[in-house]
Amino acid sequence: MSTTHPTRAPHDVRLAASLPPTPAPLLRVRGLSVSYTPPRKGTHLGTGAALRDADLEVRPGEIVGIVGETGSGKTTLARATVGLVAPAAGEIEFAGEDIGGLRRRARRAFRRSGQVQLVFQDPLRSLDPDLTVTELVREPLDIAGTLSRAERGQRVAESLRLVGLDPEAVADRRPRQLSGGQRQRVSLARAISTRPRLLFCDEPVSALDVSNRNLILNLLDQLRTELDLAVVIIAHDLSSLAGIADRVAVFYRGRIVEQGPIRAVLEEPAHPYTALLTASAPTIALGHEDRLTPDRLRPDPDRPAWPADLGCVFAHRCPFAHDACAEQPRSAPLPHAPQRQSACHDAVVWRERLDPPHPQKESA
Amino acid sequence: MASPRERTLAVTDLQVSVGDGLVAVQDVSFEIGRGESVGLVGESGSGKTLTCRAALGLLPTTGRVDGGRIVLGEGPQAVELVGARRSTWDGVRAGRIGAVFQDPASYLNPSLTVGHQLAEQLRVKRGLRRRAAHDRAVELFAEVGLHDPAAVFHQYPHQLSGGMLQRVLIAIAISCEPELLIADEATTALDVVIQAEILALLRRLRETHALSLLLVTHDLAVVAESCERVLVMYGGQIVESGPTAQVLGDPQHPYTRALMAVATIGDWGRRRLDVIPGQPPAAGEEMPGCRFAPRCPVASAACTAGPVPVTDLGGGRTTRCVRSILDEAVPA
């Protein structure tokens, strides 16, 4: 199948474009912590901190992938960035402006301006079933209130065309009358109608099958070039992300444990959790005996249990945890690759402490 | 397709329609041997879910089996499931087929503890007393890899993560010692670490319980590591089948190739994402020949000249492509 997108530039050109001189970041998050309701005793409800001490930068025209398990703080970061939740600590700077510290009215005005937009996982649940496609795509423009009626109409048609839908064919349909892939395109058209500078996509492809998944991801890639968008994609499919993102940030239990250029991070993880992720990803490349298997990255079952809240967030599942891990490591640049960061005391050396493979032992 | 093992499930010429007689599954035949794992792969709308729902007797209200046979077991134990009575189904579902689905939370009662829901199965279906059902439930929770199973017994669904809930559902599904476990997109909603753990659990249960597994998924990569044989479905038909390693190593149908190109290959260095152009045919859409022809990169006039039969390639492999009949290699 030779079906790459025609507008996609060869990768070396894009690599060169994403290397220095680096433009000023569009989004700069520093030391961000977000807390929901404090834990209630005995109910297991409310975990307190949802995001702790997160640092992340997104530059214009860049695609940043975010991976991590449920409840690791991915969505919380998105919600804080679009102004849906107020941070407990830290700074969020968008285009040089501090938006984390905005007061209520100013925060609402920022949200309504549509400079940052959010796309959700399940378009069937996030799109109002009673509205037509035209109404859905026009709504953010009505809220922003900066364009005239005629301009809004034009913008809707233009946005639909940008996501590859024929405005005349779909204008009067409702979400139920569209296929899954078409619905997600409508979500995208809705998100880009205000011409945002940053798009936050929260699991945009998890509800789609593989072919549609790649279609939507390619579309995001095309939009970032055509509209000079910065895109953050939250996803759990590492391989699809590898085909599109420039950088990746790995979340675990409210912390960013590793980040850097996607290929380097996935091919040679500097954090044991990232290694567990890549080792667990299914593959059709059979016969890779040298591939790290998940069971080599799990702690010895006979090891005394690590206290759940002590030190490093990953220590309780980390086979390499030792005394130093009782203190949460700070995210620090790797000595040999300063554009990468890892929050692991042993970022460089854990690999040397891997046990030899034992193929027949497999724990579930 | 003859399997040397004892047969657990034999589906022959199955035809399923939905709505107003729209044919959604046609001409589907396959077998699953005892302890064998078979993957059923295809895009949304390929008919894979309808096929497995037909084997569970759980078709949507508008769905109907129009023809074919679905036989569970062999010899005196054999049961014909097409047109089976309610009482037959009760017996089959109580002890011979188990199933797990994509969204575990929606299959559990949110107001009862998960232990209660498993123990209830054991009391109703296995006739165990309360105490014995509790003990067996804790054993089963331990077997599916839940830590501290005695504590999990007393927890409600909202207190458990998606991966743990899926383990609970697997425990419920295997509690009746079924011959066949059907997993319909059971790992799709989970993150990769949990997905790998659940797939490893299914592999282990298959070995320890001589369980046959039908794994339904849209992701070929999931099948690659967990299934001995694979069935590729497209537009309501099986277009290719055979031992997984051979099908993936040397796919004979262009659709299988297309699926491999879009699947989650473990290549972190790739900088392009393939797509399959066009849309799959809708249920009931009449097509003169190969149903994949409009999207096929190597289609020719012969593809749409008439119905394309299944070709037996030997070694347990089949394909439904005119090139195999004409003995032409499929261009890469």
Side-chain angles (χ1 to χ4, degrees):
Chain A
M1 302 294 294
S2 54
T3 49
T4 25
H5 209 281
T7 61
R8 182 178 270 260
H11 84 270
D12 36 356
V13 175
R14 286 177 44 213
L15 270 183
S18 66
L19 285 175
T22 42
L26 182 64
L27 176 73
R28 178 183 283 154
V29 172
R30 257 186 309 213
L32 182 71
S33 296
V34 179
S35 231
Y36 295 121
T37 15
R40 274 194 282 151
K41 253 190 186 161
T43 59
H44 300 268
L45 289 176
T47 47
L51 192 61
R52 277 175 291 185
D53 206 13
D55 293 328
L56 188 72
E57 288 185 357
V58 184
R59 289 180 269 277
E62 184 181 46
I63 297 186
V64 174
I66 290 186
V67 295
E69 57 182 25
T70 318
S72 60
K74 303 171 296 190
T75 302
T76 300
L77 178 76
R79 287 167 57 89
T81 311
V82 296
L84 284 171
V85 36
E91 296 162 28
I92 307 171
E93 234 178 72
F94 181 76
E97 196 186 338
D98 175 28
I99 58 165
L102 290 182
R103 302 297 299 271
R104 186 175 286 221
R105 187 181 295 264
R107 195 160 83 219
R108 192 170 65 185
F110 170 75
R111 220 160 54 204
R112 294 186 159 192
S113 70
Q115 293 185 70
V116 183
Q117 291 282 20
L118 206 52
V119 179
F120 300 95
Q121 171 175 3
D122 185 353
L124 206 52
R125 283 187 213 174
S126 60
L127 297 175
D128 187 330
D130 290 336
L131 298 186
T132 64
V133 167
T134 308
E135 289 165 336
L136 286 166
V137 179
R138 200 181 51 214
E139 201 172 40
L141 293 170
D142 296 344
I143 292 168
T146 48
L147 297 178
S148 74
R149 200 180 164 77
E151 284 171 328
R152 276 180 264 171
Q154 271 176 8
R155 184 61 75 76
V156 169
E158 202 181 295
S159 303
L160 286 171
R161 259 181 240 118
L162 272 170
V163 299
L165 291 171
D166 176 8
E168 280 168 26
V170 296
D172 297 321
R173 295 211 214 158
R174 286 170 222 278
R176 281 262 166 222
Q177 298 164 307
L178 301 168
S179 72
Q182 282 177 323
R183 275 198 290 266
Q184 199 53 289
R185 284 165 189 254
V186 170
S187 298
L188 278 177
R190 176 180 160 96
I192 60 166
S193 68
T194 57
R195 294 294 177 269
R197 301 174 66 189
L198 174 66
L199 206 58
F200 244 106
C201 305
D202 192 352
E203 306 255 4
V205 293
S206 303
L208 302 174
D209 65 38
V210 273
S211 179
N212 272 319
R213 178 178 295 186
N214 291 357
L215 209 69
I216 293 290
L217 291 173
N218 282 335
L219 184 59
L220 283 170
D221 191 40
Q222 178 194 340
L223 289 175
R224 69 129 157 213
T225 352
E226 285 176 14
L227 302 176
D228 194 29
L229 264 175
V231 185
V232 179
I233 303 176
I234 299 176
H236 61 230
D237 179 5
L238 296 178
S239 173
S240 290
L241 219 47
I244 180 179
D246 303 302
R247 288 192 303 124
V248 65
V250 182
F251 281 58
Y252 187 75
R253 281 210 179 174
R255 288 195 183 264
I256 299 180
V257 293
E258 177 167 8
Q259 59 175 307
I262 188 150
R263 185 169 179 173
V265 171
L266 296 183
E267 282 184 348
E268 201 193 299
H271 194 286
Y273 176 61
T274 317
L276 181 62
L277 276 180
T278 56
S280 300
T283 172
I284 56 172
L286 293 169
H288 273 235
E289 274 76 26
D290 53 337
R291 193 172 176 244
L292 213 49
T293 50
D295 52 297
R296 289 176 68 195
L297 291 158
R298 294 204 181 92
D300 190 335
D302 304 328
R303 184 184 84 172
W306 187 277
D309 294 318
L310 179 69
C312 173
V313 281
F314 189 61
H316 69 119
R317 283 173 74 185
C318 183
F320 314 109
H322 51 83
D323 295 346
C325 301
E327 191 188 331
Q328 169 67 36
R330 285 201 56 84
S331 191
L334 298 185
H336 61 282
Q339 75 277 32
R340 296 181 57 185
Q341 295 208 341
S342 168
C344 178
H345 292 299
D346 291 350
V348 188
V349 295
W350 62 261
R351 203 173 278 274
E352 294 158 17
R353 296 174 46 208
L354 270 173
D355 291 330
H358 33 87
Q360 63 274 51
K361 189 180 156 192
E362 187 169 34
S363 58
Chain B
M1 292 249 300
S3 163
R5 297 186 252 205
E6 193 186 332
R7 215 166 42 218
T8 301
L9 186 76
V11 175
T12 320
D13 299 329
L14 181 69
Q15 180 155 330
V16 178
S17 65
V18 288
D20 236 355
L22 301 173
V23 178
V25 172
Q26 51 177 302
D27 214 4
V28 163
S29 303
F30 64 91
E31 287 181 1
I32 304 178
R34 189 164 176 79
E36 190 182 31
S37 58
V38 173
L40 185 58
V41 189
E43 283 170 285
S44 314
S46 61
K48 56 189 194 306
T49 292
L50 280 175
T51 301
C52 81
R53 295 268 166 158
L56 283 167
L58 294 175
L59 284 175
T61 43
T62 61
R64 204 174 57 240
V65 175
D66 289 333
R69 292 160 55 86
I70 303 174
V71 178
L72 181 69
E74 211 175 9
Q77 299 295 314
V79 181
E80 167 66 59
L81 296 180
V82 172
R85 295 156 169 275
R86 180 68 193 261
S87 56
T88 313
W89 273 121
D90 284 348
V92 165
R93 296 200 200 108
R96 301 190 62 184
I97 303 185
V100 278
F101 302 99
Q102 178 168 355
D103 181 12
S106 65
Y107 291 89
L108 291 166
N109 184 334
S111 56
L112 298 175
T113 62
V114 294
H116 182 112
Q117 297 181 61
L118 173 52
E120 186 181 39
Q121 301 288 316
L122 293 164
R123 289 167 63 193
V124 173
K125 293 179 175 174
R126 313 294 292 180
L128 296 186
R129 307 287 291 264
R130 182 179 291 270
R131 184 77 230 164
H134 170 274
D135 295 348
R136 178 75 187 123
V138 172
E139 258 174 55
L140 280 163
F141 281 151
E143 187 172 357
V144 296
L146 285 163
H147 296 290
D148 200 357
V152 169
F153 187 93
H154 295 290
Q155 290 190 306
Y156 290 89
H158 74 265
Q159 294 172 306
L160 303 177
S161 69
M164 291 166 86
L165 287 176
Q166 199 59 278
R167 287 178 197 267
V168 168
L169 273 202
I170 291 173
I172 292 175
I174 62 165
S175 66
C176 59
E177 303 282 333
E179 295 150 50
L180 175 66
L181 182 67
I182 296 180
D184 186 1
E185 301 280 8
T187 61
T188 306
L190 306 173
D191 77 66
V192 284
V193 176
I194 310 292
Q195 166 167 287
E197 286 175 10
I198 296 285
L199 291 173
L201 168 66
L202 290 177
R203 277 196 293 271
R204 204 187 64 214
L205 290 174
R206 205 158 59 73
E207 283 158 20
T208 51
H209 291 246
L211 194 64
S212 308
L213 178 68
L214 180 63
L215 193 70
V216 182
T217 172
H218 66 258
D219 191 347
L220 262 183
V222 168
V223 167
E225 293 181 351
S226 313
C227 295
E228 295 160 274
R229 273 198 308 126
V230 59
L231 313 165
V232 182
M233 245 185 129
Y234 183 79
Q237 298 173 328
I238 291 177
V239 294
E240 178 159 9
S241 70
T244 309
Q246 291 172 35
V247 170
L248 296 182
D250 178 27
Q252 288 300 307
H253 198 283
Y255 180 63
T256 313
R257 272 170 204 269
L259 267 188
M260 287 175 66
V262 299
T264 53
I265 54 170
D267 173 10
W268 309 127
R270 73 164 162 172
R271 292 300 300 185
R272 52 177 258 198
L273 297 173
D274 283 327
V275 297
I276 309 174
Q279 289 294 319
E285 199 171 322
E286 298 275 345
M287 301 179 92
C290 171
R291 296 177 73 76
F292 185 59
R295 302 172 80 187
C296 181
V298 295
S300 64
C303 300
T304 46
V308 182
V310 175
T311 316
D312 194 334
L313 300 170
R317 296 193 61 178
T318 70
T319 176
R320 194 188 278 270
C321 178
V322 286
R323 288 178 185 273
S324 302
I325 301 170
L326 302 173
D327 210 18
E328 281 175 30
V330 179

